[in-house]
Amino acid sequence: MPIAIEEILETIRMTEVEHFDIRTVTMGISLKDCCSDDLNKLKKNIYEKIMRVAAEHVMVAKKIESDYGISIANKRIAVTPISLIADAYHKEDFIEIAQTLDKAAHELGIDFLGGFSALVQKGATPGEQNMMHAVPDALASTQHICSSVNVATTKAGINMDAVKLMGEVIKQTAQLTGDKDAIGCAKLVVFANVPEDNPFIAGAFHGVSEPDVVINVGISGPGVILRTIREIPDTLDISTLSDHIRRMAFKITRAGEYLGKKVAEMQNVQFGIVDISLAPTPVPGDSVADILKAIGLEDVGAAGTTAALALLNDSVKRGGMMASSYVGGMSGAFIPVSEDEGMIRAAERGNISIEKLEAMTSVCSVGLDMIAIPGKTSAEIISGIIADECAIGISNNKTTAVRIIPVPGKDVGESVNYGGLLGMAPIMGCSQLSNNIFINRGGRFPAPVKGINN
Amino acid sequence: MNHLDEKDIRKLTEETVKQLGSSATPELVENVVKEAIDRIQYKAGSHVIDTSPLKKAALQQSGNRIIVTAFGKNRVGILAGLTGILARHKCNILDLTQKLLQEFFTIMILVDINESPVDFDTIKTDVTRVGEELDLKVVIQHEEIFNAMHRV
């Protein structure tokens, strides 16, 4: 056999037992050529382009799954930030455009489509203002649309007016989707230093410098890393532990890149990047929290959690970067609460707090992700949480984000269950101290000295 | 002749057996064939003298190759069942390895499906069905994924 029997068995164990899959194959589609001064024409152009370009996306991904025996959990689409192609339009128009995107996603059999987005780190145009105001209604009246807004970068600083507005937008989205435990907020993320080729929902969009159509891949595989760590003795030193993680990250990145390239090749589309983030799911054993525990913590939240996460994140990057020349997107460990079984349990037991999660976001890939907080939390407090994450992002020159859900009518001790990949979230407490004066100041938070690096 | 394919090796083996006549034992034939292959490849200017020509020949064959892996409780007819359905679809078995751990049976078959009149999906469906009739779990994958994951 050209391939060793052990290698074949390991691969099969990874897919059959340890939930190794390709988390998402996301097709990025530029809508720059769809612009029009007539709303109906614009909607028609958008609909027709997506339907034409992505017609075979789901079918091709399914064929690749079958050929290589590795599941591709999600087949998704990201489009050019809608604020850019509809900058001259009003709030109501943006809602209609969101519904057009939703219709295309539904007809193509795509679960989520990202790109109802705006990049406003330095300031917002009237069109971008309109789009942000349209987000709550757009998310409440669609099934598949995801929205993201970038409010800060290391180069530009933080747009505190946008931070304030997004606190209000999140509150309104929660209220408008209150009958479904504020599920709209699970599809809305506020970023600092957003990557423009991220394949993961809800933050995916097709960056302005991207080609016409591109395939980006997000890997998964916490279960595989977890097994690797569990197999080695507790007495093994940290550098050797890192080495084991690195080797496994190499394998899963290679698989992701290979399958992504195949999907791109079959559709005659350029391959973009592989995002080497470890993405957990609510399935038992597919948890980043469990990896941190296996490294040697009683539970996530223990002293040492941030260090363990930094070790995991760095080890995965080392392996991933050896495996692929085109590593991009977020590329780090995700620590969502509702989407990670180990994290859910830690939150239920009160072992992990929002403050500890905030510290962890300074070394992981994203930020405060899929965290349910009490419905009584004010828009200003949510803006304050966003500002904190932005400060961590721009000061450390990394991506950070906030995807937080103020669940109307619910408080600490209760929980929300969205099912599927979005999972289940116990409501976590957060500081209710007032920050009104700080948030209402508005203006531009200066770029950190670190950003002036030429 | 830079690379030997399976056909060449088979011919070489047949010739060796003929020449050795009654003194042919499996070990002797294997040694003689290996040496012959080394000589041929060395002459052909190959920088690497590969001592397992089958492996090399298999690796360099272009085409559509799949790996069939099946596991389950050992019983009569597993090999016959799986290879039978592959033969019916004109799939060429390039290599095969099996392992028996107590009662638990694992078999891996490297198959060239280039000459098969039916497509990958049909082969997959039919082999999986035969496997299920024998109480086996069958996984069928294109070979390249293993190269991508396990080779630098």
Side-chain angles (χ1 to χ4, degrees):
Chain A
M1 277 267 175
I3 313 288
I5 182 165
E6 291 76 17
E7 291 169 335
I8 294 174
L9 288 179
E10 181 187 36
T11 311
I12 291 169
R13 182 168 67 161
M14 283 162 75
T15 53
E16 300 291 318
V17 184
E18 292 154 3
H19 317 290
F20 169 60
D21 58 16
I22 306 304
R23 179 50 104 75
T24 179
V25 173
T26 303
M27 176 180 263
I29 304 174
S30 169
L31 299 182
K32 282 191 276 194
D33 54 355
C34 296
C35 293
S36 169
D37 58 0
D38 173 348
L39 178 64
N40 287 326
K41 185 87 197 313
L42 173 68
K43 281 161 50 184
K44 182 167 174 280
N45 289 349
I46 291 174
Y47 176 79
E48 283 176 357
K49 174 144 193 196
I50 295 175
M51 295 306 285
R52 174 169 54 82
V53 173
E56 293 182 333
H57 185 49
V58 174
M59 195 191 76
V60 165
K62 282 187 175 156
K63 164 85 179 131
I64 296 293
E65 274 183 289
S66 164
D67 281 5
Y68 296 98
I70 295 179
S71 147
I72 298 173
N74 299 296
K75 298 93 183 164
R76 288 168 174 166
I77 291 179
V79 296
T80 308
I82 293 300
S83 65
L84 295 177
I85 58 150
D87 205 22
Y89 286 91
H90 301 289
K91 181 186 161 184
E92 289 68 29
D93 305 331
F94 276 103
I95 298 167
E96 279 188 44
I97 294 168
Q99 287 159 352
T100 302
L101 293 169
D102 200 45
K103 180 165 174 262
H106 182 74
E107 284 171 22
L108 289 169
I110 302 257
D111 65 342
F112 288 120
L113 183 151
F116 197 73
S117 305
L119 309 171
V120 297
Q121 57 268 24
K122 209 163 178 184
T125 63
E128 284 162 342
Q129 294 276 2
N130 293 341
M131 198 226 81
M132 286 188 278
H133 284 291
V135 166
D137 287 297
L139 293 180
S141 63
T142 57
Q143 292 276 315
H144 310 286
I145 302 307
C146 290
S147 177
S148 59
V149 176
N150 190 64
V151 297
T153 63
T154 303
K155 285 279 184 194
I158 307 172
N159 179 349
M160 290 300 288
D161 294 320
V163 168
K164 178 177 181 322
L165 176 59
M166 287 315 292
E168 292 159 11
V169 167
I170 289 173
K171 276 295 276 188
Q172 283 168 19
T173 305
Q175 271 146 17
L176 286 181
T177 54
D179 56 329
K180 290 180 207 143
D181 282 333
I183 195 167
C185 295
K187 297 184 276 181
L188 171 59
V189 53
V190 184
F191 273 105
N193 287 326
V194 69
E196 302 210 352
D197 50 8
N198 158 33
F200 287 102
I201 291 296
F205 66 87
H206 186 72
V208 283
S209 56
E210 295 283 312
D212 192 40
V213 185
V214 71
I215 294 285
N216 295 325
V217 172
I219 59 161
S220 171
V224 181
I225 305 281
L226 180 63
R227 188 253 305 166
T228 307
I229 299 174
R230 281 189 178 155
E231 274 176 1
I232 57 182
D234 286 352
T235 48
L236 205 69
D237 73 288
I238 291 289
S239 60
T240 322
L241 177 76
S242 164
D243 189 50
H244 281 269
I245 300 173
R246 186 162 56 85
R247 284 163 192 272
M248 194 50 80
F250 174 87
K251 291 179 186 177
I252 60 182
T253 307
R254 268 294 176 84
E257 186 191 39
Y258 185 80
L259 298 188
K261 280 184 171 164
K262 283 280 162 195
V263 173
E265 197 180 284
M266 280 182 76
Q267 300 188 81
N268 203 15
V269 167
Q270 186 176 330
F271 176 74
I273 56 98
V274 48
D275 186 321
I276 55 172
S277 299
L278 282 187
T281 65
V283 177
D286 204 19
S287 155
V288 170
D290 284 354
I291 296 177
L292 301 178
K293 285 158 73 178
I295 290 177
L297 306 169
E298 184 185 337
D299 201 353
V300 281
T305 303
T306 309
L309 180 62
L311 176 79
L312 171 66
N313 208 7
D314 181 74
S315 310
V316 170
K317 277 185 200 167
R318 285 170 191 272
M321 290 178 86
M322 167 80 184
S324 171
S325 301
Y326 301 106
V327 170
M330 316 261 207
S331 287
F334 287 173
I335 51 165
V337 174
S338 77
E339 298 173 352
D340 185 314
E341 202 237 358
M343 214 56 103
I344 296 168
R345 270 184 283 117
E348 279 171 345
R349 292 185 193 129
N351 287 341
I352 186 101
S353 65
I354 204 161
E355 290 77 16
K356 186 66 180 176
L357 284 164
E358 184 184 322
M360 290 162 76
T361 64
S362 60
V363 299
C364 78
S365 72
V366 194
L368 295 174
D369 195 15
M370 287 303 285
I371 298 173
I373 56 171
K376 65 182 181 197
T377 311
S378 72
E380 285 82 7
I381 290 174
I382 295 171
S383 294
I385 293 171
I386 296 171
D388 283 342
E389 279 302 310
C390 288
I392 291 173
I394 65 167
S395 304
N396 293 298
N397 205 9
K398 73 183 289 295
T399 303
T400 48
V402 173
R403 183 162 54 146
I404 208 161
I405 310 156
V407 188
K410 291 205 172 174
D411 211 335
V412 179
E414 295 176 273
S415 64
V416 285
N417 195 346
Y418 300 117
L421 279 175
L422 296 175
M424 195 271 269
I427 313 277
M428 295 175 77
C430 61
S431 169
Q432 299 291 322
L433 298 175
S434 170
N435 58 1
N436 288 2
I437 296 174
F438 175 60
I439 294 302
N440 286 320
R441 284 181 195 276
R444 272 170 61 199
F445 187 108
V449 174
K450 184 171 258 180
I452 319 299
N453 56 1
N454 290 331
Chain B
M1 190 207 281
N2 271 319
H3 308 299
L4 296 168
D5 65 15
E6 211 184 349
K7 215 170 82 194
D8 299 323
I9 294 163
R10 195 176 302 128
K11 213 187 274 172
L12 199 62
T13 312
E14 279 165 11
E15 193 58 38
T16 310
V17 173
K18 215 196 288 172
Q19 284 181 16
L20 287 171
S22 58
S23 62
T25 63
E27 289 84 355
L28 189 59
V29 172
E30 197 187 331
N31 286 336
V32 171
V33 171
K34 265 187 183 167
E35 269 175 33
I37 291 164
D38 287 352
R39 267 201 314 277
I40 293 163
Q41 294 203 330
Y42 188 68
K43 261 192 207 159
S46 168
H47 297 295
V48 183
I49 302 171
D50 197 333
T51 48
S52 69
L54 183 66
K55 200 188 265 183
K56 183 139 192 179
L59 266 175
Q60 281 160 352
Q61 234 167 38
S62 63
N64 215 347
R65 301 173 1 156
I66 60 170
I67 290 181
V68 178
T69 314
F71 355 54
K73 248 185 141 186
N74 195 17
R75 57 182 282 180
V76 174
I78 291 180
L79 188 58
L82 293 174
T83 53
I85 183 71
L86 288 169
R88 274 200 292 287
H89 285 320
K90 299 208 170 11
C91 299
N92 186 16
I93 295 177
L94 300 173
D95 204 344
L96 182 150
T97 176
Q98 61 179 52
K99 230 177 190 174
L100 187 62
L101 286 167
Q102 291 171 336
E103 282 289 279
F104 201 69
F105 181 81
T106 307
I107 182 166
M108 272 156 272
I109 315 173
L110 175 63
V111 186
D112 185 342
I113 60 170
N114 232 7
E115 302 294 318
S116 175
V118 298
D119 65 0
F120 173 80
D121 292 330
T122 312
I123 296 169
K124 187 168 177 167
T125 315
D126 287 358
V127 176
T128 308
R129 182 179 43 77
V130 169
E132 276 163 5
E133 284 165 13
L134 292 159
D135 285 332
L136 297 170
K137 162 110 183 119
V138 180
V139 180
I140 300 176
Q141 293 157 292
H142 269 283
E143 183 206 23
E144 296 99 326
I145 192 68
F146 298 101
N147 288 326
M149 286 176 73
H150 298 284
R151 296 287 176 271
V152 175

